[in-house]
Amino acid sequence: MDKEKVQEFIAKRVAHELSDGDVVNLGIGLPTKVANFVPHGKTIIFQSENGFVGLGPSPSEDNINPYITNAGGVPVTILPGGAFFDSATSFGIIRGGHVNLTVLGALQVDERGNIANYMIPGKMVPGMGGAMDLLSGAKKVIVAMEHTAKGSPKILKECTLPLTAMGEVDLIVTEMCVIEVTPEGLLLREMNEEFTLAEILESTEAKLLLPEKILSMQSVIM
């Protein structure tokens, strides 16, 4: 799969973790694609930390409004019933525990559910934005990311980059597999049929716990 297909596959799988009526925050980049794949029959209220609820799917080329953007500055749509508000209200929703689920990207995640997702030492990059607030304020945290970076594992025994939060990640979804963070360690729940178990283990530095039955990601998406 090319990069676009990889990201779509991850976003589709994440979308199946959403429950009807959830208030969901999507991080910038790959996580924003989740809004395009909400399963039929589910109503999800997407919240954008720059100040609105009612985020809809990505706009078509002839329907872009440059004044309606997500936290990453990318044009989005807003659904009927959506509302705009200031940053204080937006972060009041996040810090007040009103977000059921947040989907964030990451540079690294480790065996204890620690996450590093905002800084590469020595490089000019933006700050963490609202990630720290979301990680501590959301009821459930899903990391949606590609499994490796230029062939190097991103799921580690211990993060080496500065941490955004400690022990807050609940689920990791990559193009290779779905991993649940448990008190005993990282549990391999599902596999992409295009990869072997050996390939997944080789691409993951952290130890993975293997259940008796590992589900297919494709079967969940379908």
Side-chain angles (χ1 to χ4, degrees), residues 108-116 145 154-160 163 165-167 169 172 181 185-186 205-206:
Q108 297 176 344
V109 183
D110 69 23
E111 292 179 340
R112 293 180 295 238
N114 300 329
I115 177 174
M145 67 179 188
K154 296 172 68 175
I155 304 172
L156 308 175
K157 294 181 180 296
E158 184 174 351
C159 292
T160 58
L163 296 182
M166 297 177 66
V169 176
I172 305 165
V181 182
L186 300 181
E205 182 192 278

Side-chain angles (χ1 to χ4, degrees), residues 168-187:
E168 296 289 354
V169 176
D170 297 296
L171 197 70
I172 305 165
V173 180
T174 77
E175 78 280 14
M176 285 186 145
C177 59
V178 176
I179 298 169
E180 182 181 356
V181 182
T182 74
E184 293 75 31
L186 300 181
L187 177 66

Side-chain angles (χ1 to χ4, degrees), residues 37 46 55 74 76 101 103 115-116 121 145 151 157 179 207:
F37 301 108
F46 288 108
L55 177 79
V74 178
V76 293
L101 186 150
V103 184
I115 177 174
M145 67 179 188
K157 294 181 180 296
I179 298 169
K207 178 183 178 181

Side-chain angles (χ1 to χ4, degrees), residues 1 6 9-10 13-14 142-148 155 171-180 186-197 199-201 203-204 208-210 214-218:
M1 293 187 287
V6 164
F9 181 78
I10 295 169
R13 178 57 192 85
V14 171
I142 296 178
V143 167
M145 67 179 188
E146 294 180 41
H147 204 92
T148 60
I155 304 172
L171 197 70
I172 305 165
V173 180
T174 77
E175 78 280 14
M176 285 186 145
C177 59
V178 176
I179 298 169
E180 182 181 356
L186 300 181
L187 177 66
L188 182 61
R189 270 185 22 185
E190 300 169 23
M191 289 173 47
N192 182 342
E193 296 171 2
E194 295 189 19
F195 298 94
T196 65
L197 178 58
E199 288 173 325
I200 293 171
L201 295 176
S203 301
T204 310
L208 296 180
L209 305 175
L210 305 180
I214 302 173
L215 300 176
S216 158
M217 291 178 73
Q218 281 84 349

Side-chain angles (χ1 to χ4, degrees), residues 45-65:
I45 303 169
F46 288 108
Q47 184 257 359
S48 187
E49 67 203 64
N50 58 319
F52 68 95
V53 290
L55 177 79
S58 300
S60 60
E61 289 291 332
D62 58 352
N63 191 36
I64 292 176
N65 184 334

